[in-house]
Amino acid sequence: MGRPRTNDETVKERLVACAIEMLATRESVTVRALATAAGTSTTAVYSLFGGKDGLIGEVRNRAVAGLFQEVAAVPTSGDPLADLCALAAAYRRWGREHSHLYTVLFGGVQSFDPSGAVGASDPVRPLLAAIDRGLTESVLAGEATSIALSIWVTLHGLVTLELAGAFDAATAEATFGSTLHAALRGWTTPAVFSELRRTESAQ
């Protein structure tokens, strides 16, 4: 058994949970509204997080850590395209299971810049690693950052529409697979592209 939580830890978790909910569903969040929702005082927000910005930073950090944990758990195989598909599936799975955190992370609170420095626990790292393998093995052709942005834009659009209820379950599943494969196919080398098209035609 783990040690029991202190009162401060319990309040901290309540504040984080309320912040996630409110950031995902409201345009503006005040310290007073956060404290009221969590059943605590405004003083707790400052003493535990240094203020609203610190609390929002904690939410961001948890969202980034959660998404990284999901995609980092995807095993690496000898097929870069299969790995990219598996990473995309993990991204979608995390977004569906943590819709509020996903909204906070990609709803304007957190930016995505694969051309910048990539930290050891950055969710984009596994994606860039799979792309680099694809380029090295002449499976993909292009510039790594452009490929990463293309894949992310595709995934983000699909997941965002799915979370918004734009698709029924069957349509969401079919659209995710076909759109992802089309996006990846567009970055493959001519030889791989031709092979993929022949395989698809034979199915």
Side-chain angles (χ1 to χ4, degrees):
M1 296 178 60
R3 65 177 178 80
R5 284 181 176 175
T6 66
N7 185 59
D8 278 355
E9 289 172 331
T10 299
V11 172
K12 184 175 182 178
E13 289 305 311
R14 284 208 309 268
L15 282 167
V16 169
C18 289
I20 291 171
E21 175 77 23
M22 294 171 72
L23 284 167
T25 57
R26 296 172 55 155
E27 293 186 3
S28 61
V29 177
T30 66
V31 170
R32 183 175 298 280
L34 283 166
T36 299
T40 187
S41 66
T42 56
T43 303
V45 178
Y46 292 98
S47 63
L48 294 172
F49 299 99
K52 186 177 76 172
D53 288 346
L55 176 52
I56 292 174
E58 176 68 17
V59 172
R60 292 178 188 168
N61 291 340
R62 292 193 184 196
V64 170
L67 180 54
F68 174 77
Q69 184 176 21
E70 189 75 33
V71 295
V74 174
T76 299
S77 74
D79 184 345
L81 289 181
D83 290 351
L84 286 168
C85 288
L87 287 168
Y91 176 98
R92 178 189 180 209
R93 182 170 57 249
W94 185 84
R96 294 170 68 184
E97 293 176 356
H98 304 87
S99 58
H100 282 355
L101 277 176
Y102 184 90
T103 300
V104 170
L105 186 57
F106 295 121
V109 176
Q110 179 77 18
S111 61
F112 176 88
D113 180 14
S115 64
V118 178
S121 298
D122 193 313
V124 78
R125 177 176 285 278
L127 174 67
L128 289 173
I131 290 170
D132 285 341
R133 291 196 303 275
L135 293 170
T136 299
E137 297 174 22
S138 297
V139 173
L140 300 174
E143 196 272 322
T145 298
S146 296
I147 298 172
L149 279 171
S150 175
I151 294 172
W152 178 67
V153 166
T154 301
L155 290 175
H156 180 59
L158 289 167
V159 173
T160 299
L161 286 170
E162 184 175 3
L163 294 180
F167 309 127
D168 59 36
T171 302
E173 197 67 33
T175 302
F176 179 81
S178 62
T179 305
L180 174 63
H181 291 158
L184 289 175
R185 194 167 57 237
W187 289 104
T188 56
T189 57
V192 174
F193 180 90
S194 297
E195 180 60 31
L196 289 174
R197 294 300 286 177
R198 281 196 298 270
T199 300
E200 290 171 1
S201 297
Q203 291 177 346

